[in-house]
Amino acid sequence: MRLNETAPLLRQKFMLKMSTSSGMKESDAVKIDAVLKGMKFSGNTTVSSEAQNEARRYLEYEIEFE
């Protein structure tokens, strides 16, 4: 697309969903939380809440060719 002489690509925008790039599913996060709870670990957040937070985030970037 960039090398097309009739209509060269000058700008490209990408949007990546963060949950697809991390490699952790929400179901895996729930299992990790269960194990941590069984080991009596406690904290101010859970792995599953962080996975849900990540599922709502996107990384957007744009490339301009000169």
Side-chain angles (χ1 to χ4, degrees):
M1 289 181 353
R2 172 75 180 116
L3 300 175
N4 185 347
E5 291 180 15
T6 58
L9 180 66
L10 301 176
R11 177 180 291 163
Q12 181 72 39
K13 187 183 282 190
F14 297 95
M15 185 180 289
L16 302 173
K17 190 169 184 179
M18 296 304 291
S19 62
T20 59
S21 64
S22 72
M24 181 176 289
K25 299 178 201 168
E26 287 186 49
S27 59
D28 294 337
V30 170
K31 292 175 187 176
I32 292 170
D33 283 340
V35 169
L36 292 175
K37 185 176 180 180
M39 296 174 69
K40 304 214 188 273
F41 282 103
S42 64
N44 58 356
T45 189
T46 62
V47 178
S48 59
S49 68
E50 290 299 317
Q52 290 170 351
N53 188 17
E54 188 176 82
R56 292 187 294 266
R57 296 182 185 259
Y58 289 87
L59 171 65
E60 182 177 337
Y61 65 96
E62 188 171 342
I63 299 175
E64 249 183 73
F65 302 101
E66 294 183 18

